[in-house]
Amino acid sequence: MADSIFISAGDPSGDNALSRVIEELNTAHPNLTCFGLGGKRLHKLGQEQFADQEDLAVIGFWEVAKKYLFFRKLLNQCLKEIKSRKPTVVILVDYPGFNLRLAKKIKELGIPIIYYISPQIWAWGKKRIVEIKKNIDLMIPILPFEEKFYKDSGINVKYAGHYLTEDIKPDYIASVIPENGHLALLPGSRKQEIERMLPVMLQTAEAVYAEYKIKSVIAGVENLFEYETLIQNKDFVSVIYDDSRKVVHDSKLVVTSSGTATLEIGLIGRPMVIIYKTGTLTYQIAKRVVTLKSIGLVNLVLGENILPELIQNEATEKNITAALAKFLTDETYRNECVAKLHLLPALLGAKDVSKNIAGFIGEYL
């Protein structure tokens, strides 16, 4: 009987990361079948999917609460399919609000549960470590400091490195900053994020052009958002779709939404200003549960606040422009930041990341 895998990868970054692993697994297990939740890349690899990833890409406590019935129905559908099909292994990718609940419900079935891309419980939910220890058979984190966190908690953990080190073009990593580069704007990969982040980014782009004559390029996602409607009559801004890394590579500075993108930008070696805006209720709840001083993954991996972070009401055109201006006018500061960013490949890197992770998973097939 052919092996099958249930996959729950609700975020675009998770879809990207696991697709590389599944490609490796398919080489060793050509009859492998996959079903569950994922995005475009897993779909191309043949995953049978129960939902559109755009419906899954919801962020914020209140925003998730509004879709409670949708997620409850989806959770029950996944549970029903897992019980019926009895996959050889379950792989949960990031997406902790959904995946930790699912893990709890399926643990009694006796199917091995692997968690790839650790929930960031070291930031917001250390009490959940008991739950993870009980329900997860193998944790595969992607950040170097997470391995020790889980080992110290008595959880079976294997670390291979970060998939971005092999996913980004080698000649992009730690590349030379172009003298005539543009300002790159990365408002996110979810419609909610873009709606909140892009307006203030465009205000900043206008201010930067007025002062420094630097044009801006938005890293857009095709068919996700009507970027063109917001940049009408703004000849200092353009959009490039579905190639955010080229947008970053060809830039001299970046304004980005917090998230995986900060590591991509850091590996490419571009100074950035990290911003984040969310709903008022979500922000108030997050302030009470998140225990970290940084939200930018790039700062967390480097172990210090190298890049400026502007959150919620601090993420204004005036503040963002001022942070960019420091990069543009203070060469020593800019060079120090770039030098620190050039440490990232060694901190995150390892050879054959996805191949090694496929090996970890293959032990359960």
Side-chain angles (χ1 to χ4, degrees), residues 36-103:
L37 308 178
K40 294 177 182 178
R41 298 193 181 199
L42 286 171
H43 185 261
K44 284 182 180 178
L45 292 173
Q47 185 197 27
E48 178 189 347
Q49 297 182 341
F50 302 153
D52 190 314
Q53 192 168 65
E54 190 172 334
D55 293 325
L56 302 175
V58 180
I59 51 173
F61 298 99
W62 172 240
E63 292 79 2
V64 172
K66 287 191 291 186
K67 296 191 71 171
Y68 170 75
L69 293 178
F70 167 79
F71 283 111
R72 186 177 70 174
K73 182 179 178 181
L74 186 61
L75 186 73
N76 289 334
Q77 181 184 1
C78 291
L79 182 59
K80 179 181 176 182
E81 294 288 347
I82 292 169
K83 286 181 176 179
S84 173
R85 303 192 196 194
K86 298 180 177 59
T88 314
V89 68
V90 168
I91 303 177
L92 308 176
V93 188
D94 201 1
Y95 213 55
F98 185 90
N99 282 339
L100 289 177
R101 286 180 175 85
L102 182 61

Side-chain angles (χ1 to χ4, degrees), residues 47-194:
Q47 185 197 27
E48 178 189 347
Q49 297 182 341
F50 302 153
D52 190 314
Q53 192 168 65
E54 190 172 334
D55 293 325
L56 302 175
V58 180
I59 51 173
F61 298 99
W62 172 240
E63 292 79 2
V64 172
K66 287 191 291 186
K67 296 191 71 171
Y68 170 75
L69 293 178
F70 167 79
F71 283 111
R72 186 177 70 174
K73 182 179 178 181
L74 186 61
L75 186 73
N76 289 334
Q77 181 184 1
C78 291
L79 182 59
K80 179 181 176 182
E81 294 288 347
I82 292 169
K83 286 181 176 179
S84 173
R85 303 192 196 194
K86 298 180 177 59
T88 314
V89 68
V90 168
I91 303 177
L92 308 176
V93 188
D94 201 1
Y95 213 55
F98 185 90
N99 282 339
L100 289 177
R101 286 180 175 85
L102 182 61
K104 186 176 181 180
K105 288 182 176 293
I106 62 177
K107 181 61 179 176
E108 64 183 26
L109 301 178
I111 301 169
I113 302 174
I114 298 172
Y115 212 121
Y116 177 41
I117 306 184
S118 159
Q120 294 175 358
I121 60 168
W122 36 265
W124 52 263
K126 292 181 182 177
K127 291 181 180 178
R128 288 199 170 183
I129 199 73
V130 175
E131 181 183 339
I132 287 175
K133 189 173 183 178
K134 180 179 178 182
N135 297 328
I136 304 302
D137 294 288
L138 174 64
M139 179 64 72
I140 306 175
I142 59 173
L143 299 175
F145 59 83
E146 292 177 322
E147 182 180 22
K148 183 178 185 302
F149 173 81
Y150 284 108
K151 275 185 177 177
D152 290 348
S153 300
I155 289 170
N156 184 28
V157 58
K158 292 184 178 181
Y159 175 72
H162 201 296
Y163 68 93
L164 285 177
T165 59
E166 63 182 13
D167 200 42
I168 297 173
K169 293 178 181 179
D171 58 336
Y172 276 17
I173 293 178
S175 54
V176 176
I177 299 174
E179 187 176 340
N180 296 318
H182 54 250
L183 171 63
L185 307 177
L186 275 68
S189 57
R190 302 178 183 90
K191 190 174 181 180
Q192 272 179 283
E193 285 181 309
I194 298 166

Side-chain angles (χ1 to χ4, degrees), residues 16-37:
N16 177 28
L18 189 65
S19 66
R20 301 183 66 91
V21 176
I22 296 301
E23 284 179 340
E24 294 287 348
L25 282 171
N26 283 339
T27 301
H29 304 268
N31 296 319
L32 187 68
T33 60
C34 300
F35 65 99
L37 308 178

Side-chain angles (χ1 to χ4, degrees), residues 85-365:
R85 303 192 196 194
K86 298 180 177 59
T88 314
V89 68
V90 168
I91 303 177
L92 308 176
V93 188
D94 201 1
Y95 213 55
F98 185 90
N99 282 339
L100 289 177
R101 286 180 175 85
L102 182 61
K104 186 176 181 180
K105 288 182 176 293
I106 62 177
K107 181 61 179 176
E108 64 183 26
L109 301 178
I111 301 169
I113 302 174
I114 298 172
Y115 212 121
Y116 177 41
I117 306 184
S118 159
Q120 294 175 358
I121 60 168
W122 36 265
W124 52 263
K126 292 181 182 177
K127 291 181 180 178
R128 288 199 170 183
I129 199 73
V130 175
E131 181 183 339
I132 287 175
K133 189 173 183 178
K134 180 179 178 182
N135 297 328
I136 304 302
D137 294 288
L138 174 64
M139 179 64 72
I140 306 175
I142 59 173
L143 299 175
F145 59 83
E146 292 177 322
E147 182 180 22
K148 183 178 185 302
F149 173 81
Y150 284 108
K151 275 185 177 177
D152 290 348
S153 300
I155 289 170
N156 184 28
V157 58
K158 292 184 178 181
Y159 175 72
H162 201 296
Y163 68 93
L164 285 177
T165 59
E166 63 182 13
D167 200 42
I168 297 173
K169 293 178 181 179
D171 58 336
Y172 276 17
I173 293 178
S175 54
V176 176
I177 299 174
E179 187 176 340
N180 296 318
H182 54 250
L183 171 63
L185 307 177
L186 275 68
S189 57
R190 302 178 183 90
K191 190 174 181 180
Q192 272 179 283
E193 285 181 309
I194 298 166
E195 288 172 344
R196 288 200 175 104
M197 250 65 76
L198 188 54
V200 73
M201 287 185 177
L202 291 177
Q203 292 169 10
T204 302
E206 186 169 6
V208 169
Y209 183 72
E211 181 68 24
Y212 301 101
K213 294 296 179 280
I214 297 172
K215 291 189 175 184
S216 294
V217 178
I218 301 168
V221 180
E222 192 77 60
N223 301 320
L224 179 64
F225 185 81
E226 296 293 331
Y227 302 91
E228 310 291 346
T229 60
L230 289 185
I231 64 171
Q232 287 179 350
N233 304 317
K234 292 181 171 64
D235 59 2
F236 53 86
V237 186
S238 58
V239 185
I240 292 179
Y241 290 97
D242 298 332
D243 201 350
S244 61
R245 290 170 188 168
K246 178 171 174 54
V247 173
V248 172
H249 175 265
D250 294 346
S251 74
K252 65 192 307 179
L253 285 170
V254 184
V255 180
T256 181
S257 171
S258 177
T260 305
T262 68
L263 287 179
E264 295 184 71
I265 299 160
L267 284 167
I268 293 170
R270 299 297 179 268
M272 75 192 91
V273 177
I274 303 165
I275 72 168
Y276 206 73
K277 287 174 172 284
T278 189
T280 303
L281 178 61
T282 297
Y283 177 65
Q284 292 301 324
I285 294 172
K287 276 206 310 182
R288 289 163 173 77
V289 298
V290 176
T291 58
L292 301 177
K293 294 180 180 179
S294 300
I295 63 162
L297 288 175
V298 63
N299 284 333
L300 289 168
V301 171
L302 290 170
E304 53 184 315
N305 282 0
I306 303 298
L307 289 311
E309 300 179 357
L310 298 168
I311 305 167
Q312 208 67 0
N313 295 333
E314 292 181 351
T316 64
E317 173 270 311
K318 182 180 179 181
N319 289 343
I320 300 169
T321 303
L324 291 170
K326 189 172 183 183
F327 284 125
L328 290 168
T329 59
D330 188 336
E331 185 177 359
T332 301
Y333 168 69
R334 181 177 67 249
N335 290 341
E336 286 176 352
C337 287
V338 172
K340 291 288 178 68
L341 292 177
H342 286 177
L343 300 174
L344 282 173
L347 290 172
L348 294 172
K351 289 186 177 180
D352 301 322
V353 173
S354 295
K355 185 176 182 179
N356 289 334
I357 291 170
F360 300 159
I361 295 170
E363 294 175 8
Y364 291 84
L365 296 175

